[in-house]
Amino acid sequence: MGIVIREYQTKDVTAAITIWNQVVEDGIAFPQEENLTEETGDAFFKEQTYTGIAVNTDNNEIVGLYILHPNNVGRCGHICNASYAVRREVRGEHIGEKLVLDCLAQAKVKGFRIMQFNAVVANNTHALHLYERIGFTRLGVIPQGFRMPDGHYEDIIPHYYML
Protein backbone atom coordinates (compact mmCIF):
# COMPACT_ATOMS: atom_id res chain seq x y z
CA MET A 1 0.00 0.00 0.00
CA GLY A 2 1.41 3.38 -1.01
CA ILE A 3 0.74 6.22 1.41
CA VAL A 4 0.83 9.95 0.82
CA ILE A 5 0.13 12.41 3.64
CA ARG A 6 -1.44 15.74 2.81
CA GLU A 7 -3.23 18.55 4.62
CA TYR A 8 -6.85 18.07 5.74
CA GLN A 9 -9.63 19.52 3.56
CA THR A 10 -13.34 19.80 4.36
CA LYS A 11 -14.08 17.10 1.76
CA ASP A 12 -12.20 14.67 4.08
CA VAL A 13 -14.51 15.17 7.05
CA THR A 14 -16.62 12.00 6.76
CA ALA A 15 -13.63 9.67 6.51
CA ALA A 16 -11.65 11.63 9.11
CA ILE A 17 -14.38 11.59 11.77
CA THR A 18 -15.04 7.90 11.12
CA ILE A 19 -11.39 7.07 11.84
CA TRP A 20 -11.15 9.49 14.78
CA ASN A 21 -14.37 8.17 16.31
CA GLN A 22 -13.12 4.57 16.05
CA VAL A 23 -10.26 5.48 18.40
CA VAL A 24 -12.59 7.41 20.72
CA GLU A 25 -15.01 4.46 20.83
CA ASP A 26 -12.17 1.99 21.50
CA GLY A 27 -11.60 4.06 24.66
CA ILE A 28 -7.99 2.97 25.15
CA ALA A 29 -5.89 5.77 23.64
CA PHE A 30 -7.64 9.16 23.36
CA PRO A 31 -8.88 11.08 26.41
CA GLN A 32 -11.99 12.25 24.52
CA GLU A 33 -15.26 10.49 25.26
CA GLU A 34 -17.56 12.23 22.78
CA ASN A 35 -17.69 11.38 19.08
CA LEU A 36 -17.20 14.09 16.50
CA THR A 37 -20.00 14.94 14.08
CA GLU A 38 -19.36 16.27 10.58
CA GLU A 39 -19.89 19.81 11.88
CA THR A 40 -17.83 19.53 15.06
CA GLY A 41 -15.21 17.41 13.29
CA ASP A 42 -14.62 19.86 10.46
CA ALA A 43 -14.20 22.70 12.95
CA PHE A 44 -11.93 20.57 15.16
CA PHE A 45 -9.62 19.51 12.33
CA LYS A 46 -9.44 23.07 10.93
CA GLU A 47 -8.59 24.64 14.32
CA GLN A 48 -5.43 22.54 14.69
CA THR A 49 -2.06 23.96 13.70
CA TYR A 50 -2.02 21.18 11.11
CA THR A 51 -4.14 18.13 10.39
CA GLY A 52 -2.47 15.53 8.21
CA ILE A 53 -4.48 13.01 6.20
CA ALA A 54 -2.96 9.66 5.14
CA VAL A 55 -4.25 8.51 1.76
CA ASN A 56 -3.75 5.06 0.26
CA THR A 57 -2.46 5.86 -3.24
CA ASP A 58 -3.62 2.45 -4.53
CA ASN A 59 -7.33 3.27 -4.09
CA ASN A 60 -7.39 6.93 -2.90
CA GLU A 61 -8.98 5.97 0.45
CA ILE A 62 -8.20 7.86 3.64
CA VAL A 63 -6.59 5.44 6.08
CA GLY A 64 -5.36 7.67 8.90
CA LEU A 65 -4.79 11.15 10.22
CA TYR A 66 -3.03 13.23 12.83
CA ILE A 67 -3.62 16.53 14.56
CA LEU A 68 -0.77 18.85 15.55
CA HIS A 69 -1.22 21.76 17.94
CA PRO A 70 0.55 23.65 20.75
CA ASN A 71 0.89 21.78 24.01
CA ASN A 72 0.93 25.06 25.94
CA VAL A 73 1.03 28.84 25.43
CA GLY A 74 3.39 31.74 25.93
CA ARG A 75 6.84 30.78 27.19
CA CYS A 76 6.02 27.13 26.55
CA GLY A 77 4.38 27.73 23.16
CA HIS A 78 7.33 26.14 21.35
CA ILE A 79 6.21 22.73 22.66
CA CYS A 80 3.65 20.91 20.55
CA ASN A 81 1.43 17.89 20.98
CA ALA A 82 -0.19 15.50 18.52
CA SER A 83 -2.67 12.65 18.25
CA TYR A 84 -2.73 9.88 15.65
CA ALA A 85 -5.55 7.70 14.35
CA VAL A 86 -5.46 4.82 11.88
CA ARG A 87 -8.52 3.08 10.45
CA ARG A 88 -9.14 -0.22 12.26
CA GLU A 89 -8.95 -2.37 9.12
CA VAL A 90 -5.41 -1.24 8.26
CA ARG A 91 -3.78 -1.03 11.68
CA GLY A 92 -0.46 -2.85 11.74
CA GLU A 93 0.51 -1.66 8.23
CA HIS A 94 3.03 0.94 9.55
CA ILE A 95 0.74 3.85 8.69
CA GLY A 96 1.14 5.19 12.23
CA GLU A 97 4.89 5.46 11.75
CA LYS A 98 4.41 7.44 8.54
CA LEU A 99 1.98 9.74 10.36
CA VAL A 100 4.39 10.34 13.25
CA LEU A 101 7.34 11.08 10.96
CA ASP A 102 5.30 13.47 8.82
CA CYS A 103 3.97 15.14 11.96
CA LEU A 104 7.49 15.70 13.30
CA ALA A 105 8.50 17.31 9.99
CA GLN A 106 5.39 19.54 10.01
CA ALA A 107 6.01 20.51 13.64
CA LYS A 108 9.47 21.74 12.73
CA VAL A 109 8.11 23.68 9.72
CA LYS A 110 5.50 25.29 11.99
CA GLY A 111 8.25 26.51 14.33
CA PHE A 112 7.88 24.09 17.21
CA ARG A 113 11.04 22.90 18.97
CA ILE A 114 9.75 20.03 21.10
CA MET A 115 7.03 17.41 20.66
CA GLN A 116 5.51 16.28 23.94
CA PHE A 117 3.04 13.46 24.42
CA ASN A 118 1.20 13.89 27.71
CA ALA A 119 -0.74 10.66 27.94
CA VAL A 120 0.58 7.56 26.19
CA VAL A 121 -1.32 4.74 27.87
CA ALA A 122 1.13 2.19 29.30
CA ASN A 123 -0.61 -0.80 27.71
CA ASN A 124 -0.40 0.82 24.25
CA THR A 125 2.79 -1.13 23.60
CA HIS A 126 2.79 -0.62 19.82
CA ALA A 127 2.79 3.17 20.23
CA LEU A 128 5.40 3.05 23.01
CA HIS A 129 7.77 0.94 20.88
CA LEU A 130 7.25 3.17 17.86
CA TYR A 131 7.92 6.41 19.74
CA GLU A 132 11.03 5.06 21.41
CA ARG A 133 12.36 3.56 18.16
CA ILE A 134 11.97 7.00 16.52
CA GLY A 135 13.88 8.62 19.39
CA PHE A 136 11.32 9.91 21.88
CA THR A 137 12.39 9.96 25.53
CA ARG A 138 10.18 8.76 28.39
CA LEU A 139 9.53 11.39 31.05
CA GLY A 140 8.32 9.00 33.73
CA VAL A 141 5.06 7.36 34.71
CA ILE A 142 1.84 8.91 35.94
CA PRO A 143 0.16 6.16 37.95
CA GLN A 144 -3.49 5.57 37.12
CA GLY A 145 -3.58 8.54 34.76
CA PHE A 146 -6.03 7.10 32.21
CA ARG A 147 -9.53 5.79 32.90
CA MET A 148 -10.34 2.77 30.75
CA PRO A 149 -13.88 2.02 29.45
CA ASP A 150 -14.51 -0.55 32.19
CA GLY A 151 -13.65 2.01 34.89
CA HIS A 152 -10.20 0.77 35.93
CA TYR A 153 -7.17 3.05 35.59
CA GLU A 154 -3.97 2.49 33.60
CA ASP A 155 -0.66 4.30 33.96
CA ILE A 156 0.36 6.87 31.37
CA ILE A 157 3.89 7.44 30.14
CA PRO A 158 4.62 10.98 28.90
CA HIS A 159 7.32 11.32 26.20
CA TYR A 160 9.16 14.13 24.43
CA TYR A 161 11.20 14.56 21.25
CA MET A 162 13.56 17.41 20.40
CA LEU A 163 12.85 18.66 16.88
Side-chain angles (χ1 to χ4, degrees):
M1 165 184 339
I3 299 293
V4 64
I5 300 173
R6 61 164 173 76
E7 189 167 7
Y8 170 83
Q9 302 167 19
T10 297
K11 69 179 184 173
D12 304 324
V13 69
T14 301
I17 64 168
T18 297
I19 295 166
W20 185 269
N21 289 343
Q22 286 178 347
V23 179
V24 171
E25 291 163 5
D26 289 346
I28 58 173
F30 286 177
Q32 294 88 354
E33 295 180 299
E34 300 294 322
N35 280 344
L36 295 173
T37 65
E38 290 202 5
E39 181 179 306
T40 61
D42 189 46
F44 176 71
F45 297 130
K46 285 180 176 175
E47 75 187 13
Q48 306 302 317
T49 302
Y50 189 87
T51 297
I53 297 291
V55 179
N56 177 346
T57 58
D58 298 340
N59 58 17
N60 209 33
E61 289 183 347
I62 294 173
V63 293
L65 67 135
Y66 70 83
I67 60 169
L68 170 68
H69 51 86
N71 194 51
N72 214 318
V73 296
R75 297 181 196 277
C76 295
H78 62 287
I79 303 172
C80 61
N81 184 276
S83 296
Y84 309 93
V86 175
R87 200 173 75 206
R88 277 189 191 119
E89 299 80 22
V90 292
R91 291 180 188 160
E93 302 276 333
H94 303 284
I95 297 165
E97 180 175 5
K98 290 176 173 76
L99 289 168
V100 173
L101 293 173
D102 189 81
C103 181
L104 292 173
Q106 284 295 335
K108 197 169 190 174
V109 167
K110 299 295 184 186
F112 293 109
R113 298 183 62 198
I114 302 168
M115 172 73 73
Q116 179 178 326
F117 296 149
N118 303 319
V120 183
V121 181
N123 66 7
N124 191 349
T125 56
H126 294 294
L128 290 169
H129 291 141
L130 171 61
Y131 301 149
E132 290 170 14
R133 184 167 37 84
I134 289 171
F136 281 79
T137 301
R138 286 184 184 214
L139 289 168
V141 175
I142 301 173
Q144 300 182 24
F146 191 92
R147 182 174 38 80
M148 300 301 280
D150 67 2
H152 86 276
Y153 289 86
E154 290 284 337
D155 296 348
I156 55 176
I157 304 173
H159 282 71
Y160 76 94
Y161 182 92
M162 300 299 291
L163 299 169

